[in-house]
Amino acid sequence: MPLVSSPDACGREGSGVNKKSMAKAAAVIEIGARQVEMVIAQTGKTGLQVLDCLVHPTQTGHDVYYQKKISFKSLRGLVEILRKYSQALQTYGVQKCRLVSATTFSEAENAALVCSQISVQTRMTVEVLGETEENGYVYFDAVQRLKEQGADLTGETLLARVGSGSLGLAVYDGSQIRYAHTVPMGALKMNDQFEALRRESKDFIGMMREYVSLLLRPFQLDTRQLGNLVLLGPDVARIAALMGVQRQEDGACGSVKRVVKLAEKLHASNLYHLTEALNITEHEAAVLCNAVTLFSGIVELCGRSQRLHVVESDLPRAILRISLSGQMGRQHQVFLSKSALACTEEICALSPPQLQEARRTAEMACDMFDRMKRLHGIESNAKLILEIAARCYERLPFDGMRHNGASALAHIEQLEIFGVNEETMQQIALVTAAALDGRVLTEPLAGYSLTEEKRLVVMKLAAMFSLAVAMNQSRRGKLKNVKLSLHEDRLMIQATAVSDAMLETWAFRRAALLFQSVFGINPELKMKLSMLQETG
Amino acid sequence: MKTTNNGKQDFPYRNRELSWMDFNARVLEEAQKNENPLVERLRFLAITASNLDEFFMVRVAGVKDQVAERYKRADESGLTPKQLLETLEETIHLFMDRQYSCLMRSIVPMMKKQQVSFVSPAQMEPEQLAHISAYFDQVLFPVLTPLAVDSSRPFPTLSNKSLNIAVRLKAKERAEDSENYFAVVQVPSILSRFLPLPAAPGVHCFALLEEIIIYQLHQLFELHDIKAAVPFRITRNADLEIDEEAEDFMYEVQKSIKRRKRGRPVRLEVYSKIDKPTRRFLVEALNLKPAEVYDIQGPLDLTFLSKFASQGLFDGLGFPPIVPQRPMDVDEEVNLFDQIRTGDRLVHLPYESFNCVTDFIRLAAEDADVLAIKQTLYRVSGHSPIIAALIQAAENGKQVTVLVELKARFDEENNILWAKKLEKAGCHVIYGLQGLKTHCKIALVVRREADGIRRYLHLGTGNYNDSTAKIYTDIGLFTCDSEFGVDASSLFNVITGYSRPPEYNHFVVAPHGMRHFFERKIRREIENARKGMPAAITAKVNSLVDASLISLLYEASSAGVEIDLIVRGICCLMPGVSGVSERIRVISIVGQLLEHSRIFRFENGGDPDLYLGSADWMPRNLDRRIELAFPVRDERLKARLAGILDTYLRDNTNARIAQPDGTYQHVNRRGRVAFSSQRTFYEQAVAAGKAKQQRRDEETLIPIHASEDGV
């Protein structure tokens, strides 16, 4: 979907503006749990220049929490809001914009129906983003903005995002995300869950703290050397205002103790004071309190010796910043890929030799991918699937699972890898499993609903990946100087074997069947023993 | 703010209705001033009458409603509605006596000196009588409809503010024993109230329409003896009650306007020599109390004097005209967008021409790169060039969004007319917001430029009305500051219902934050004063009523903040009261032009903040309207604005100083040269215009040469 306005969208004549060179404007609408926000922005001298920001409250978050689906009343409200927003877009000549939703829609059982109705009534298509895609935008944007501010991000940095319906934590190592995990509980959802208890309980906030402690138990962060804590999410502006934060020279806003102090202060106070201080409703105040309790719990979880940062980054602005700058867009892709690989390696917990072999397999698979481009026609970002598949493959236990594609599939599909959405994760699992079974699982499995197009991509990648795995079947890197050349009816692979490569030859023949069935050409492997070369 | 149980404040607070009467009295003083030119005195007198009409229709009617509903709670000044009404009626009776005393004893003799007079039929020459008879036969008679009143024909529902003649009749056949009965003849409002009569060269005589009708009344009642005929006029309660949740809001407003024309009578004006039976008849028919009847010792409804003064009879007997000059900040030869891009521009109306504002909208309508225009309209003129430009913009394919405030009091009909025209042209018209009047003055132009979308704004203190822009003092700011642009878009998003109120960068918007903003600003001055830092406030508003702000200003005065207030109209604050408001000075400027701009200066410890806005310091502005105040950030313009405030404070001609007892006194010049702020602003504008013209004249001429190839 084109995100950027067509320069001659208004079709006016006689304009004095060179339309090709004019700055681009774009818009993003996010349907959140609490509000529908549209941000219209353009690239300016100082970066993203927000032209307009429209916010309209919505009840979709409550609907999904209580009924597991978006009510028709909310749907009608959404349609009305989106129509208004369409009119507002005309003000800036932006004719199309991205319409996204994350947790709210991904958790709604009737999301497809609602998306369809929105499309019919507004001609807008809702992109439902998974948690990892949403966080991919926000974390990247936050890191970029911290760098722009000159923040000292020495050591590891914990990015903590408390949303309305989810809570995400990620560890950034100065270059990429190394660890990321999300739980489906946010400040608004917590309020929906415990609202009834607020008036009943004498120590409601005390109880909430206990709950948060339980909620955060799966995150094992205490062993990490976290130097910075970055607060993210829709409530951080208000939290920053309540903490009275002022940015210091290193870009930090002081110590994380401020969050704990604020939580204690709110504990001792009541909602009424908060509503008065911030001119907000009691409901908004309750949600804000939950966000502070969650942040405070995170501080407790990972120790208190860190520098605190507050970044007001939200999904629409993050998408716009990335979309409007070509350079930023490329950096975002690199960030996601690097982070995905780093997280995969972290999750797979590979030993150095295993990692070396995984990288070797990935290198061969990617080389093959590049050589065969004119034959497979797949976009190059799919190489990430091969890279991750190689690492996942290495993680599988040798016995049992390695001989059972289906169980490997189920195992890999469960992995939560930052930067990789659910669909891509399925593709990775299928590609990895195919290397075990020598065939691509095409019969429907629970949870798999790949499109025909994606399925074809999986088949092609699986064929290449299987060959690459086969060429390193013994996990000893026997084949060196691998050279590939594509001919009309065959793929010629020449390599130097540093030792006997019978196992590779056997595996290659097996994988070649799959390859041939997919591409219709015969892969040939020609090996020379390096000992012969040396002696000859 | 402390309030006693019955609503009275425990600090000095002048009742707002009485304070308004004080203001109208200051206008009347201008009519009474011998040193003022005759034309202006007539105009001032007409203004007092028109003001009083409106006051009756809204404020007096409101107090009467409270009394009728037995509402007994005292207001902030400590008066119950009943007490207030009694005081008001007494004050108004005295005021109207002064009005007519001014007219009959001072202005009419002066008119006579200029050979201008109103003559009654009894005073007319035969030629003049023949003239009015002919006028009656040819023009008046066809449009007159006498309405008889008897047991089968009830008293007619007469229009608000219409002039009528009550006629007491007896049947000719049984004149002796028949009873009185009455008829009403409405004086047609479509005809001029005064008719020029034939007279000697250099002499100007006029007859009033009602007198012509009375003179020829027998033609309407041929079968009756006319026992008495007197003019009378009814003022009705005209405060609209509108169901704002109605589905068709425009229809609802139209219905309310009709209801207003038939509201309950709150005042009856009758000629003082009215006979008793006719008086009794009118009072009973209209169900009025004796205090609601005002005996007039001259022509009723003096609002006609304004039109009368503008006939050109009294050349040289008006104030020297104020002809709007080319704005010193705007070059009419250069594209306005280009100029605004190089810096903010300030325009001081009416010393500087409103044309630049209409040009701004017109330019936007014609500019191919303009994508959208958004504007608020509160009161517009009859043939508004702004409306024409907006219609053209819509026809040119721009996205045009206009908020036409249908609830603008007494402009509802006009605004409905414009709203329909704009809608027909394809503009997106919003009629206002439920429960709030949109009073802010803002125009936003969204333009596509090489470096992206840029927003151009005009923000003002006065309406987009080219007619009133010639007589109201207002200030407007042109800017393309991007943060102002974001705020403007946000404000329109709120007005159009597209978005909830945001946190603005610079705008101060009522009702969501303006009250807190002003309170915060005053409190900061209080803190600064207590720290020994420079602390001062200068505010120019039309009215100061809000008890909460008044209380805070008293606190500021006590803390050592120097406060100068320039309040044209109602001022419930009482300055110079020992221990309360010693550091507060209040002046009211009433002069040739109507003071309308709202300017605010807060000393801010030596780095003054200057704001302009659409809001007065009244609860309705701060709590029940969409109002806008905005900072002036450009240092050059800040200095200019500060200079404007200082000029007002130096005025010793049109300024009156409020006294601790609520009265106003002229500035004692003590031998100083007369200094009028309004004349000074005008002289400055003229001088700037001349200097600009001189610079242009001195520019090197560029000769045009033949091209080299000799073609």
Side-chain angles (χ1 to χ4, degrees), chain A residues 12-22, chain B residues 366-370 447-451:
Chain A
R12 293 184 179 86
E13 291 177 5
S15 164
V17 177
N18 180 344
K19 295 179 184 95
K20 281 185 183 171
S21 65
M22 70 172 284
Chain B
E366 290 165 359
D367 189 305
D369 292 318
V370 166
R447 190 166 187 256
R448 181 180 52 192
E449 296 184 357
D451 53 352

Side-chain angles (χ1 to χ4, degrees), chain B residues 386-414:
Chain B
I386 297 271
I387 299 269
L390 291 171
I391 288 172
Q392 195 200 341
E395 286 169 354
N396 287 352
K398 319 286 182 203
Q399 191 202 36
V400 181
T401 306
V402 188
L403 187 140
V404 181
E405 181 48 80
L406 290 194
K407 291 170 283 181
R409 190 178 278 150
F410 304 122
D411 267 333
E412 298 94 341
E413 281 177 295
N414 194 33

Side-chain angles (χ1 to χ4, degrees), chain B residues 33 75 296 429 637 640 648 693:
Chain B
K33 266 187 197 170
D75 67 6
I296 305 297
V429 181
L637 300 185
R640 188 176 168 198
Y648 277 121
Q693 186 58 45

